[in-house]
């Protein structure tokens, strides 16, 4: 295989952080401030939940929430609540037993032909249902920029042809670090695809800037970006523009959503989400049942109700807009369909 052209972007000048990094630094981290922004009264439960898992939400995402509406579906995803402190049978800190599938820090090898790298613990938004909200990132992700052990592992196993970048959120890393990894991956003869799982194009569309698009367009691998959008209200014009730019860079766009009680567990919400995604050039991919992570049980939807909803969606939507309803079980060789 010929050595690929350099894809590492030029770094910003001294003292000139990219706009997305400035927006990320200004994210709201105080529940009281979030509620004030929305014209809502203080909520004691927010302080309890915040102590268990800190709040973080970009201001642009908050701007898409309905002022004065405590049940806004975007607010429910990020606002800490007292229910997070409840101990629920069957819910634990490592619901997918990921630490048992980690041959190297941050590298998960669970499925044939592909591996997942938790490239960072940082994220632009702290979703309350996150299955990695208790993940020990300090011990379970590569030290800053130290990709060599990962690359050596991939080089030694010719059956691995896809690397999945996850986190945290991998797009919270700098373009330079991401491009260095992509360039190294492209030298491995068996590698076909780079898949990136990220919420940033939805919650922080400023992240999709010229530097990101530059190296993505030049990766000599098929590139797939799986965005994470749970509700049609998350998709505004700025998000649509970011997604269009990614498509123009040759990136395949898919969506994975989590079925969340009170947020998107009805036919109207799921139909609107599928239609809005497709209008933005994103294909609905997975609808996940909630992973039983400690602190998120109040979001759970019963499997029977999930199946009934999926059947109603099947009758409402064309087949190409119907996401696969799945649950992940520790130790299984693939996600398990529920429908």
């Amino acid at each position: 295989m010929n050595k690929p052209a350099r894809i590492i972007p030029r770094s910003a000048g001294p003292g000139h952080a990219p706009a997305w990094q400035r927006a990320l630094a200004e994210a709201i981290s105080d529940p009281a401030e979030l509620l004030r922004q929305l014209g809502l009264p203080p909520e004691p439960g927010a302080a309890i939940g915040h102590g268990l898992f800190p709040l973080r939400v970009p201001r642009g995402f908050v701007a898409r929430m309905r002022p004065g509406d405590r049940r806004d579906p975007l607010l429910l995803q990020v606002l800490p609540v007292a229910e997070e402190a409840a101990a629920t049978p069957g819910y634990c800190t490592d619901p997918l037993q990921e630490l048992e599938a980690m041959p190297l820090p941050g590298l998960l090898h669970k499925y044939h032909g592909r591996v997942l790298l938790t490239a960072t613990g940082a994220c632009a938004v702290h979703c309350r249902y996150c299955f990695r909200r208790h993940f020990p990132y300090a011990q379970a992700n590569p030290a800053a920029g130290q990709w060599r052990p990962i690359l050596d592992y991939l080089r030694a196993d010719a059956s691995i042809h896809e690397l999945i970048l996850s986190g945290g959120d991998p797009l919270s890393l700098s373009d330079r670090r991401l491009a260095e990894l992509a360039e190294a991956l492209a030298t491995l003869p068996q590698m076909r695809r780079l898949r990136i799982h990220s919420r940033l194009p939805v919650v922080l569309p400023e992240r999709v800037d010229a530097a990101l698009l530059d190296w993505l367009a030049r990766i000599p691998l098929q590139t797939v970006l799986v965005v994470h959008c749970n509700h049609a209200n998350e998709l505004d014009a700025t998000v649509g523009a970011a997604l269009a730019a990614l498509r123009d860079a040759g990136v395949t766009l898919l969506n994975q959503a989590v079925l969340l009680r009170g947020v998107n567990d009805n036919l109207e919400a799921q139909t609107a989400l599928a239609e809005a995604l497709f209008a933005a050039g994103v294909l609905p991919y997975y609808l996940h049942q909630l992973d039983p992570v400690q602190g998120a049980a109040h979001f759970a939807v019963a499997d029977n109700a999930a199946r009934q909803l999926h059947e109603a969606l099947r009758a409402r939507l064309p087949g190409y807009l119907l996401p696969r309803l799945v649950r992940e079980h520790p130790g299984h060789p693939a996600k398990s369909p529920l429908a």
Side-chain angles (χ1 to χ4, degrees):
M1 181 177 179
N2 294 329
K3 186 175 181 180
R6 298 280 290 176
I7 58 174
I8 299 175
R10 293 188 300 273
S11 50
H16 294 83
W20 70 269
Q21 290 184 347
R22 298 195 299 271
L24 188 57
E26 295 168 358
I28 294 175
S29 58
D30 180 1
E33 180 185 358
L34 173 59
L35 293 169
R36 281 198 304 272
Q37 290 284 330
L38 297 170
L40 290 167
E43 187 165 313
I48 297 172
H50 181 71
L52 298 168
F53 183 40
L55 168 73
R56 192 179 205 189
V57 56
R59 294 176 185 273
F61 192 70
V62 175
R64 296 170 229 165
M65 299 175 186
R66 295 189 293 258
D69 185 357
R70 177 60 186 80
R71 306 305 299 172
D72 177 83
L74 277 60
L75 176 63
L76 292 176
Q77 295 180 56
V78 300
L79 180 67
V81 293
E83 290 94 325
E84 296 178 35
T88 305
Y91 285 71
C92 61
T93 58
D94 185 14
L96 302 183
Q97 298 175 16
E98 291 190 309
L99 298 179
E100 299 178 14
M102 191 175 294
L104 293 171
L107 190 71
L108 304 177
H109 195 172
K110 300 191 289 184
Y111 303 139
H112 177 75
R114 55 206 185 275
V115 293
L116 183 147
L117 178 61
T118 55
T120 177
C123 192
V125 63
H126 289 175
C127 301
R128 311 314 300 175
Y129 52 86
C130 180
F131 71 98
R132 291 197 183 119
R133 58 182 285 167
H134 305 287
F135 196 73
Y137 288 107
Q139 297 82 36
N141 67 287
Q146 300 302 308
W147 309 121
R148 183 173 297 278
I150 304 294
L151 295 167
D152 289 343
Y153 184 92
L154 299 177
R155 192 175 289 109
D157 189 339
S159 72
I160 300 172
H161 51 75
E162 178 174 346
L163 179 72
I164 303 166
L165 279 183
S166 185
D169 196 305
L171 291 189
S172 64
L173 295 174
S174 70
D175 293 309
R176 176 163 291 273
R177 285 186 61 192
L178 289 168
E180 285 172 350
L181 176 60
E183 184 175 277
L185 286 173
T187 67
L188 303 179
Q190 83 273 25
M191 196 60 58
R192 302 174 196 163
R193 286 185 296 276
L194 174 65
R195 191 193 328 168
I196 303 169
H197 283 234
S198 178
R199 191 123 161 83
L200 263 72
V202 174
V203 302
L204 192 76
E206 298 95 327
R207 179 63 183 96
V208 182
D209 58 12
L212 175 67
L213 295 168
D214 180 52
W215 70 263
L216 280 173
R218 288 187 283 147
I219 295 175
L221 298 170
Q222 287 185 311
T223 308
V224 179
L225 178 59
V226 182
V227 297
H228 178 178
C229 180
N230 294 317
H231 197 278
N233 291 2
E234 298 177 33
L235 299 169
D236 65 2
T238 58
V239 176
L243 296 172
L246 288 164
R247 291 198 315 276
D248 290 344
V251 179
T252 298
L253 297 178
L254 306 174
N255 184 68
Q256 62 177 11
V258 180
L259 186 59
L260 302 167
R261 186 171 68 187
V263 173
N264 59 9
D265 58 335
N266 61 78
L267 181 60
E268 290 71 25
Q270 287 294 329
T271 300
L273 175 59
E275 294 284 2
L277 286 167
F278 194 65
V282 183
L283 196 64
Y285 174 44
Y286 277 142
L287 177 58
H288 285 269
Q289 266 290 52
L290 182 76
D291 294 312
V293 64
Q294 182 177 302
H298 56 289
F299 285 115
V301 176
D303 282 355
N304 283 342
R307 291 188 185 99
Q308 290 172 9
L309 174 58
H310 195 260
E311 282 303 305
L313 270 176
R314 186 188 303 278
R316 175 75 62 89
L317 294 171
Y320 57 87
L321 291 189
L322 185 70
R324 284 170 267 185
L325 177 64
V326 296
R327 182 187 291 285
E328 187 160 3
H329 295 283
H332 284 212
K335 293 179 174 63
S336 302
L338 285 180

